[in-house]
Amino acid sequence: MAEIRLKNVTKRWGDFVGVQKFDLDIADKEFLVLLGPSGCGKTTTMRMIAGLEDITDGEIWLGDRMVNKLEPKDRDISMVFQSYGLYPNMTVYENIRFPLKVRKVPKDQHDERVMKAAEMVELKDFLDRRPAALSGGQRQRVALARAIVREPTAFLMDEPLSNLDAKLRVSTRAQIKNLHHTLKTTTIYVTHDQIEAMTLADRVVVMNKGVVQQVGTPTDIYDKPANTFVAGFIGSPAMNLVDGELRDGVFEAGKVRVTGLPTTHNGKVTLGFRAEDATIVPEGGELSAPVYSMELLGDASMISFRVGGELVSIKAAKDYRAEIDEQVHAAIPAEICHLFDSKTGARLGA
Amino acid sequence: MSGTSMIARRRSRTLATVSTLFLITWLIVAAFPFLWTVWGSFKVESDFFSRESWLNALFGVYTEMQTGAPFTGDGYYGAWITRDFWRAVVNTAIVTLCVTVISLTIGTLGGYALARSGHRYAFWILIAALVFRAMPHITLVSGYLLPFFELNIWGHLATSIVVLVAINQPFTLWMLHSFFLSIPKDLDESAMVDGCTRFQAFRWVVIPVMWPGVITTGLFSFLLAYNDFAVTAMLLSQDNQTMVPKISSFLGSIQEQGNVMFAVAAVVSATAPLFLLVMFFQRQIVSGLTAGAVKG
Ligand SMILES: Nc1ncnc2c1ncn2[C@@H]1O[C@H](COP(=O)(O)OP(=O)(O)OP(=O)(O)O)[C@@H](O)[C@H]1O
Ligand SMILES: [Mg+2]
């Protein structure tokens, strides 16, 4: 059990920056999720913590040890790989026991600990099979069991659910959450699925192009995105973003006009709001435009408009119907709006 | 429904018969030269190389006349005992064993390193290896001859082992390199996170998965050394000759009657172990050749 501290950790390959100045303290027992689009450096960050990738710059601390120069085996971390990395020549039992064996844990404890780990992930019936004879979900659980069997100081999990089907993903997600609750081991979890991030995390780190965009609780990230990238990445659908002009608390952009914004900022800004916060109104409202398309989602209808170059979506009641090109009004009150600097993308105000 | 299934069954029966016949024919055609040689090796020369009738080779007329029996072990006795073929067998065993072991050791370690190295020079090492592999062996050997004489290391088994390893290494390296590439990097990285050093990961996790590949590559190295003529014929002294140049020397001096039969007997003696070897390792070889599908 230990906290993990990353001090300005940077990874470069030649000129290419994989991870830029990653600076973060991860508390003991915390469940931290790294979230971001493909290629943003999540795996690289994790591999640096595990010691599989050299660090170009910065320091990594596990508890009170600086581990920059330590071999992976000396870091006492266990990792679940995206492709599981099971040993195909060993049975499930031997796979789970392997870390105990190489770490020279006394032999008489092996059986008990393997059984305990296998039980936690409900694998007891498969112990003498080879990985090739298991389904994806079962392999996934073997990888989990192998990670928990030696009770390391931290778990790293790299998109462990990405190869599973939707249903299995939900149940394995619950299992991981429950495991973390039982074991209380510091966990770093990589995903590009925001639902996973939201449901599992104590804190989420949103990354883009190797740079940390925002660190916060899932609610923080959802309610107060730090910049337009986070706003446009989190939520489904993502936040609507409209470029326009701000003058004396009045935002204007063609078909959108929002008044009473609590800000003293003037000039070009980006206005953001969530589809589910806005409402369709019979007349008036801050937006008035012809319907571009309409999708039925089952529990709601999604109406979209073209504003400038962007598509803006608004959620309406499930029995709401509108024709394409029909003129529709929507209320976007100032309270639901987020303002971002249109140059830097950074959030304006609180 | 039963009609169609009967037709299907009849058709599959016909197909099975045809393919069985084809396989048997093919087997006979393919095995005939070898079987013929084995049969003939127990005759005397005037039968096996008869000018009167090829049937003599089957029935052994002169063999009966000269030795009093339809089969004779004279060829084998002459080759193995009189002309010391056993010594060539021992030499071949030493050479092939050493070449195989050395090539595989360097090949697995080097192939693994090259497969896991992120550096660009790894690629150029492999290309250089390919170039050396493409050169005819004889060019290497003729270049070596003079220095070997001058260094006074010509004629020794060790010298030709070194040369054969040098010739064989590029191939082993390439082959093992591609086997290692087919093994996901996650496997060794898992092992290292689980507590292995790089070498332990290699030894306990990668090699067991690689085993068929190692066996296959080892077999090819073995065959190269076993069948080599260019290197061993030129670099080994009379006493240290291996089987292939020895057989060729049986053929090359036809002053005495029976020498050709020594060669035939020796050829059979040299071929038989190969059959055993391939049969023994066939499963590993097949899975080695079809490897690349190592799934976790
Ligand atoms: N060995 C390497 N050499 C050069 N560039 C690399 C190397 N490994 C990764 N990269 C680059 O670093 C960036 C980050 O890669 P990384 O694997 O961390 O992405 P990721 O966030 O895990 O993406 P994904 O969600 O697709 O797994 C990518 O643009 C990738 O091309
Ligand atoms: Mg990744």
Side-chain angles (χ1 to χ4, degrees), chain A residues 47 73 83 85-87 89 103, chain B residues 186-187 189-191 193-194 208:
Chain A
R47 288 169 55 82
K73 71 181 176 73
S83 57
L86 300 182
Y87 311 126
N89 58 318
R103 284 177 191 272
Chain B
D186 287 6
L187 212 58
E189 292 185 340
S190 282
V193 174
D194 279 346

Side-chain angles (χ1 to χ4, degrees), chain A residues 72-121:
Chain A
K73 71 181 176 73
D74 300 322
R75 299 197 182 188
D76 195 24
I77 279 179
S78 66
M79 181 157 173
V80 177
F81 290 74
Q82 194 165 349
S83 57
Y84 315 142
L86 300 182
Y87 311 126
N89 58 318
M90 303 180 197
T91 62
V92 169
Y93 182 91
E94 289 162 340
N95 261 285
I96 301 177
R97 187 183 57 169
F98 189 77
L100 302 178
K101 210 164 120 186
V102 292
R103 284 177 191 272
K104 308 231 158 38
V105 173
K107 273 232 165 60
D108 49 334
Q109 298 179 20
H110 287 194
D111 204 52
E112 193 195 323
R113 288 174 72 169
V114 171
M115 285 306 175
K116 202 173 130 208
E119 198 156 356
M120 276 191 191
V121 297

